Amino acid sequence: MRFELHLDGLRAVADSHGGELISFRDAEGTEYLWGGDPAVWPGRNPLLFPIVGNLKDGAVLIDGQRYEMARHGFARNHEFALVEQTERCLVLELRESDATLTRYPYPFSLRVCQELT
């Protein structure tokens, strides 16, 4: 789901998939964020959690258990829940689930706040 924020001619758009800010425009309509061109790089503004980069051999051992994780973690590929929304502020949250616990064995709450000020 996409959410729009507005303040004095500014407009921002965030996506619940990945919890990322995908657009920021000024009052003249100038876009300041990368648009995600598949020919160059399809990503936009991903949240990198719980790791940045790669793990050696694509996995980590925690208490003798192997946990595989792709580059930059998993947050960018999960749906965030809406916690709060106003005209100029948005809070999205990702919590542990059966899917995340197979890659990262800890309970967590990752909140992202997008706010126009």
Side-chain angles (χ1 to χ4, degrees):
M1 176 177 272
R2 293 191 174 176
F3 302 92
E4 288 192 23
L5 304 173
H6 301 274
L7 177 68
D8 298 332
L10 299 175
R11 178 182 171 268
V13 179
D15 196 330
S16 60
H17 185 79
E20 68 183 319
L21 189 65
I22 59 171
S23 176
F24 177 72
R25 294 180 186 267
D26 64 18
E28 289 75 39
T30 302
E31 177 63 62
Y32 289 92
L33 296 180
W34 170 252
D37 182 350
V40 180
W41 179 60
R44 291 187 179 187
N45 187 31
L47 294 175
L48 309 182
F49 175 87
I51 62 168
V52 176
N54 293 311
L55 292 171
K56 183 179 179 189
D57 300 323
V60 63
L61 285 177
I62 300 173
D63 295 329
Q65 175 75 31
R66 180 181 166 92
Y67 293 91
E68 294 183 3
M69 194 179 319
R71 182 173 57 159
H72 302 318
F74 52 76
R76 63 190 175 151
N77 297 316
H78 282 270
E79 194 68 21
F80 282 61
L82 177 63
V83 173
E84 178 183 344
Q85 182 180 15
T86 68
E87 180 78 5
R88 63 185 189 104
C89 179
L90 174 70
V91 179
L92 298 171
E93 179 181 48
L94 177 65
R95 298 185 66 87
E96 79 277 353
S97 66
D98 290 343
T100 66
L101 290 169
T102 64
R103 295 183 188 106
Y104 183 75
Y106 303 108
F108 67 89
S109 170
L110 173 61
R111 284 191 173 194
V112 59
C113 175
Q114 309 288 357
E115 182 175 12
L116 295 176
T117 60

